[in-house]
Amino acid sequence: MTKADKFTTVRIAFAPIFLIIYILPELFPSTAFITGCILLPMLCFAEFTDFLDGFYARKMNCVSDFGKLYDPFADVVLHLSCFFCYVHTGYISFIILLLLFYRETCMLFLRMVAAKKGVAVGARKGGKLKTVLYIATSFVCLAVDSLIRCGIDVSAYTNVCEIIITTMSILCVVASYVSFADYIHSFKTLFFDKN
């Protein structure tokens, strides 16, 4: 496993840790403040590893077909885990999460089909834009939630926050399916080859 792949592994390992810490106050209410203080920095670090794995893969000239599949897989595990948390606390609709889950599952299947035919489907511009929207939406949800956990009253901005998060969530779905259609179109001869 290369150094870049190790950074990618951090994101996968971080996903269940984030989920556990996120729901911890439900079991131990006294932990609300501390979780509100640490969740954002933790998510920042996890997302930073996405930059680090790409940086080291290019710097050490170890860009691999495995890495092209492992990196988006780690992103999906982390982002869907975060979105599950936000659905649990009511920031994001369950329908949004379900649509994103369908898209990501189908995309992983297509990558497996391509890999079986000897082609590693790397990230395209549409997929990268989708990921940026996922990250931005996740940070907005977590920022609002962290303020509440830290005892800061944001009730006066509840409607504004709901509108922003709902809009960003819808954009995530739109971007994810547009990019999915782009992958299908770009690799249609590969995916629909009868051989």
Side-chain angles (χ1 to χ4, degrees), residues 8 11 50 66-77 79 104 108 111 121-123 130:
T8 304
R11 289 204 300 291
D50 194 16
F66 174 76
K68 290 178 182 178
L69 298 175
Y70 195 41
D71 179 65
F73 172 74
D75 288 343
V76 169
V77 171
H79 297 147
E104 298 300 346
L108 289 174
R111 282 195 163 100
V121 177
K130 177 267 305 183

Short mmCIF file of all heavy atoms in Angstrom, two decimals, residues 8 11 50 66-77 79 104 108 111 121-123 130:
data_model
loop_
_atom_site.label_atom_id
_atom_site.label_comp_id
_atom_site.label_asym_id
_atom_site.label_seq_id
_atom_site.Cartn_x
_atom_site.Cartn_y
_atom_site.Cartn_z
N THR A 8 -5.87 7.63 1.98
CA THR A 8 -7.22 7.27 1.56
C THR A 8 -7.88 6.39 2.62
O THR A 8 -9.07 6.56 2.94
CB THR A 8 -7.19 6.52 0.22
OG1 THR A 8 -6.53 7.33 -0.75
CG2 THR A 8 -8.60 6.23 -0.27
N ARG A 11 -9.70 8.08 5.52
CA ARG A 11 -11.08 8.53 5.32
C ARG A 11 -12.07 7.40 5.58
O ARG A 11 -13.13 7.63 6.16
CB ARG A 11 -11.27 9.08 3.89
CG ARG A 11 -10.60 10.39 3.68
CD ARG A 11 -11.21 11.20 2.56
NE ARG A 11 -11.17 10.56 1.27
CZ ARG A 11 -10.06 10.34 0.56
NH1 ARG A 11 -8.88 10.71 1.06
NH2 ARG A 11 -10.10 9.79 -0.63
N ASP A 50 -7.97 13.80 1.45
CA ASP A 50 -8.31 13.64 0.03
C ASP A 50 -7.32 14.41 -0.83
O ASP A 50 -6.91 13.95 -1.90
CB ASP A 50 -9.74 14.12 -0.23
CG ASP A 50 -10.26 13.68 -1.58
OD1 ASP A 50 -9.68 12.77 -2.20
OD2 ASP A 50 -11.28 14.24 -2.03
N PHE A 66 -5.53 1.04 -8.93
CA PHE A 66 -6.13 0.77 -7.61
C PHE A 66 -6.51 2.07 -6.92
O PHE A 66 -7.61 2.20 -6.37
CB PHE A 66 -5.15 -0.01 -6.73
CG PHE A 66 -5.63 -0.19 -5.32
CD1 PHE A 66 -6.61 -1.12 -5.02
CD2 PHE A 66 -5.10 0.58 -4.29
CE1 PHE A 66 -7.06 -1.28 -3.72
CE2 PHE A 66 -5.54 0.43 -2.99
CZ PHE A 66 -6.53 -0.51 -2.70
N GLY A 67 -5.61 3.04 -6.95
CA GLY A 67 -5.88 4.33 -6.32
C GLY A 67 -7.05 5.06 -6.95
O GLY A 67 -7.82 5.73 -6.27
N LYS A 68 -7.21 4.91 -8.27
CA LYS A 68 -8.31 5.56 -8.98
C LYS A 68 -9.66 5.00 -8.54
O LYS A 68 -10.68 5.69 -8.63
CB LYS A 68 -8.15 5.38 -10.49
CG LYS A 68 -7.00 6.18 -11.08
CD LYS A 68 -6.88 5.92 -12.57
CE LYS A 68 -5.70 6.68 -13.18
NZ LYS A 68 -5.55 6.39 -14.62
N LEU A 69 -9.67 3.77 -8.06
CA LEU A 69 -10.90 3.16 -7.57
C LEU A 69 -11.06 3.34 -6.06
O LEU A 69 -12.16 3.56 -5.56
CB LEU A 69 -10.90 1.65 -7.89
CG LEU A 69 -10.85 1.28 -9.37
CD1 LEU A 69 -10.72 -0.23 -9.51
CD2 LEU A 69 -12.10 1.77 -10.10
N TYR A 70 -9.93 3.26 -5.36
CA TYR A 70 -9.94 3.33 -3.90
C TYR A 70 -10.33 4.72 -3.40
O TYR A 70 -11.08 4.87 -2.44
CB TYR A 70 -8.56 2.94 -3.38
CG TYR A 70 -8.48 2.62 -1.91
CD1 TYR A 70 -9.48 1.90 -1.27
CD2 TYR A 70 -7.37 3.02 -1.16
CE1 TYR A 70 -9.39 1.59 0.08
CE2 TYR A 70 -7.27 2.71 0.19
CZ TYR A 70 -8.29 2.00 0.80
OH TYR A 70 -8.19 1.70 2.13
N ASP A 71 -9.83 5.75 -4.07
CA ASP A 71 -10.09 7.14 -3.66
C ASP A 71 -11.58 7.48 -3.72
O ASP A 71 -12.13 7.96 -2.72
CB ASP A 71 -9.26 8.10 -4.51
CG ASP A 71 -9.51 9.55 -4.13
OD1 ASP A 71 -9.16 9.94 -3.00
OD2 ASP A 71 -10.05 10.30 -4.96
N PRO A 72 -12.27 7.27 -4.85
CA PRO A 72 -13.70 7.59 -4.86
C PRO A 72 -14.51 6.70 -3.93
O PRO A 72 -15.52 7.15 -3.37
CB PRO A 72 -14.11 7.38 -6.32
CG PRO A 72 -13.05 6.55 -6.93
CD PRO A 72 -11.79 6.88 -6.19
N PHE A 73 -14.06 5.45 -3.72
CA PHE A 73 -14.75 4.58 -2.78
C PHE A 73 -14.68 5.16 -1.36
O PHE A 73 -15.68 5.19 -0.63
CB PHE A 73 -14.13 3.18 -2.80
CG PHE A 73 -14.66 2.27 -1.73
CD1 PHE A 73 -15.93 1.73 -1.83
CD2 PHE A 73 -13.87 1.95 -0.63
CE1 PHE A 73 -16.42 0.89 -0.84
CE2 PHE A 73 -14.36 1.11 0.37
CZ PHE A 73 -15.64 0.57 0.25
N ALA A 74 -13.50 5.65 -0.97
CA ALA A 74 -13.33 6.25 0.35
C ALA A 74 -14.19 7.50 0.49
O ALA A 74 -14.79 7.74 1.55
CB ALA A 74 -11.86 6.60 0.58
N ASP A 75 -14.26 8.29 -0.57
CA ASP A 75 -15.10 9.49 -0.55
C ASP A 75 -16.56 9.13 -0.30
O ASP A 75 -17.25 9.77 0.51
CB ASP A 75 -14.99 10.24 -1.88
CG ASP A 75 -13.65 10.95 -2.05
OD1 ASP A 75 -12.95 11.13 -1.03
OD2 ASP A 75 -13.31 11.31 -3.19
N VAL A 76 -17.03 8.11 -1.00
CA VAL A 76 -18.43 7.68 -0.86
C VAL A 76 -18.71 7.21 0.56
O VAL A 76 -19.73 7.58 1.16
CB VAL A 76 -18.77 6.57 -1.88
CG1 VAL A 76 -20.12 5.94 -1.55
CG2 VAL A 76 -18.78 7.12 -3.29
N VAL A 77 -17.83 6.39 1.11
CA VAL A 77 -18.02 5.88 2.47
C VAL A 77 -18.10 7.03 3.47
O VAL A 77 -19.00 7.07 4.33
CB VAL A 77 -16.88 4.92 2.86
CG1 VAL A 77 -16.95 4.56 4.35
CG2 VAL A 77 -16.95 3.66 2.02
N HIS A 79 -18.68 10.41 2.86
CA HIS A 79 -19.77 11.37 2.64
C HIS A 79 -21.14 10.79 2.96
O HIS A 79 -21.97 11.48 3.56
CB HIS A 79 -19.71 11.88 1.20
CG HIS A 79 -18.47 12.64 0.90
ND1 HIS A 79 -17.85 12.65 -0.34
CD2 HIS A 79 -17.68 13.42 1.70
CE1 HIS A 79 -16.77 13.40 -0.29
NE2 HIS A 79 -16.64 13.87 0.93
N GLU A 104 -24.51 6.49 -6.00
CA GLU A 104 -23.16 6.05 -5.66
C GLU A 104 -23.01 4.53 -5.80
O GLU A 104 -21.95 4.04 -6.23
CB GLU A 104 -22.80 6.49 -4.24
CG GLU A 104 -22.77 8.00 -4.02
CD GLU A 104 -21.77 8.72 -4.91
OE1 GLU A 104 -20.89 8.07 -5.52
OE2 GLU A 104 -21.86 9.96 -4.99
N LEU A 108 -20.37 2.76 -8.34
CA LEU A 108 -19.39 1.76 -7.90
C LEU A 108 -19.51 0.48 -8.73
O LEU A 108 -18.51 -0.15 -9.07
CB LEU A 108 -19.57 1.46 -6.41
CG LEU A 108 -19.17 2.56 -5.45
CD1 LEU A 108 -19.54 2.19 -4.02
CD2 LEU A 108 -17.68 2.86 -5.54
N ARG A 111 -17.89 1.07 -12.05
CA ARG A 111 -16.43 1.03 -11.90
C ARG A 111 -15.93 -0.41 -11.82
O ARG A 111 -14.86 -0.74 -12.35
CB ARG A 111 -15.99 1.82 -10.66
CG ARG A 111 -15.99 3.33 -10.87
CD ARG A 111 -15.21 4.04 -9.76
NE ARG A 111 -14.87 5.39 -10.16
CZ ARG A 111 -15.52 6.47 -9.78
NH1 ARG A 111 -16.58 6.35 -8.99
NH2 ARG A 111 -15.14 7.67 -10.18
N VAL A 121 -11.83 3.59 -14.09
CA VAL A 121 -12.59 4.82 -14.33
C VAL A 121 -12.25 5.83 -13.24
O VAL A 121 -12.70 5.70 -12.10
CB VAL A 121 -14.10 4.55 -14.36
CG1 VAL A 121 -14.87 5.85 -14.54
CG2 VAL A 121 -14.44 3.57 -15.47
N GLY A 122 -11.44 6.81 -13.58
CA GLY A 122 -11.05 7.84 -12.62
C GLY A 122 -12.08 8.94 -12.54
O GLY A 122 -13.08 8.95 -13.26
N ALA A 123 -11.86 9.88 -11.64
CA ALA A 123 -12.79 10.99 -11.45
C ALA A 123 -12.77 11.93 -12.64
O ALA A 123 -11.71 12.24 -13.19
CB ALA A 123 -12.43 11.75 -10.17
N LYS A 130 -19.41 17.34 -8.08
CA LYS A 130 -20.35 16.66 -7.18
C LYS A 130 -19.75 16.49 -5.80
O LYS A 130 -20.40 16.76 -4.79
CB LYS A 130 -20.73 15.32 -7.80
CG LYS A 130 -21.66 14.45 -6.96
CD LYS A 130 -20.93 13.44 -6.08
CE LYS A 130 -19.99 12.54 -6.82
NZ LYS A 130 -19.35 11.53 -5.91
#
